[in-house]
Amino acid sequence: MFALMSLIRMTSDAALTNGHNKQSSSKKEWVRLNVGGTIFLTTKQTLCKDPHSFLCRICHDEQLIDSMRDSTGAFLIDRDPNYFSPVLNYLRHGKVIIDKNLMDEGVLAEAEFYQISSLVRLMKARLGAKEEKDSTSKRTQHVYRVLQSHEDELTQMLSTLSDGWKCEQVINIGSGYSYECNQSEFLILASYQLDSTDNTQSPNKYIEKLQLP
């Protein structure tokens, strides 16, 4: 009986020890980061999504572990916490989500600092696309013209919008001023897009093409 009780006690102690070790191991997977005075809580698995990154190295480099902690045990990183948030979220779910008050250039700088190569490529591509869009916008300008038409002439007037002219808006301004005519009057706002880099395009040239019927 004594031997049986001893065996039960040893089994129970072993189970408790294993449970404690599992809990300790689980706790060790969580990492506290003090980025510019703001505390972030994440896991080693998240930080090591890029095994060559600075964030992954601080989880495994014993010298860094001993020398880069604050009084609470959090890793000290002297960077802007606002720009660290999109970097950490990218490691968590693989998506680039940037607050409207942050600049893409700032996120790129943080990605380069933390040496997250995939995020660096994404941010460079994002900035490249934005620059191309801005460049295209600067190369174009619009010519606008307002035309007036009676109700019975409106369809014919709209059909004359050719050679690149586009109807932006049709506005009903009510009845005409003539007492003999009860038809409504309409204003047509038409636009034409010009390439500002083409010196052969003159706004007056294209306005002349849009004649009243």
Side-chain angles (χ1 to χ4, degrees):
M1 177 64 71
F2 178 78
L4 179 60
M5 293 295 295
S6 298
L7 179 60
I8 293 174
R9 185 180 296 108
M10 291 174 60
T11 303
S12 176
D13 291 343
L16 290 173
T17 301
N18 290 336
H20 177 73
N21 290 338
K22 287 182 180 179
Q23 290 180 356
S24 299
S25 176
S26 177
K27 289 181 179 179
K28 289 180 181 178
E29 291 302 314
W30 286 94
V31 180
R32 285 167 55 87
L33 303 174
N34 183 338
V35 182
T38 300
I39 300 299
F40 293 86
L41 185 64
T42 185
T43 65
K44 287 185 178 181
Q45 182 181 5
T46 295
L47 296 180
C48 291
K49 286 291 179 65
D50 185 337
H52 304 292
S53 70
F54 167 78
L55 293 172
C56 186
R57 289 203 305 276
I58 66 174
C59 295
H60 300 289
D61 191 318
E62 294 298 332
Q63 293 182 349
L64 290 175
I65 288 176
D66 293 336
S67 63
M68 296 180 59
R69 291 182 182 271
D70 64 11
S71 59
T72 67
F75 289 107
L76 282 166
I77 303 177
D78 186 20
R79 303 295 290 186
D80 189 330
N82 294 317
Y83 281 96
F84 179 69
S85 289
V87 172
L88 181 58
N89 285 331
Y90 171 76
L91 292 174
R92 284 169 170 161
H93 49 58
K95 297 180 181 179
V96 179
I97 301 175
I98 301 175
D99 186 90
K100 63 181 181 180
N101 297 319
L102 301 180
M103 298 179 64
D104 287 358
E105 291 83 355
V107 178
L108 173 60
E110 295 307 292
E112 291 175 334
F113 173 80
Y114 294 111
Q115 300 172 3
I116 304 172
S117 57
S118 59
L119 182 56
V120 170
R121 290 194 297 270
L122 283 173
M123 292 310 302
K124 286 184 176 180
R126 181 181 173 119
L127 285 168
K130 182 180 292 186
E131 290 175 0
E132 177 62 25
K133 181 179 179 181
D134 292 342
S135 176
T136 301
S137 177
K138 291 178 181 178
R139 290 199 304 266
T140 60
Q141 59 178 329
H142 290 82
V143 178
Y144 293 94
R145 189 174 184 187
V146 178
L147 305 174
Q148 187 170 350
S149 171
H150 293 300
E151 184 176 1
D152 60 352
E153 299 172 338
L154 182 60
T155 301
Q156 182 182 355
M157 177 70 75
L158 293 173
S159 68
T160 64
L161 298 180
S162 58
D163 297 323
W165 283 95
K166 177 183 177 182
C167 177
E168 297 288 349
Q169 191 174 5
V170 177
I171 305 171
N172 188 340
I173 60 174
S175 300
Y177 295 105
S178 173
Y179 290 102
E180 299 176 358
C181 179
N182 294 322
Q183 293 184 358
S184 296
E185 294 282 334
F186 292 86
L187 295 180
I188 302 171
L189 176 62
S191 69
Y192 190 92
Q193 181 174 299
L194 297 176
D195 186 346
S196 61
T197 61
D198 186 353
N199 296 326
T200 65
Q201 289 186 323
S202 169
N204 292 330
K205 171 184 175 182
Y206 290 95
I207 289 177
E208 291 171 358
K209 287 187 176 183
L210 188 61
Q211 300 295 333
L212 290 171

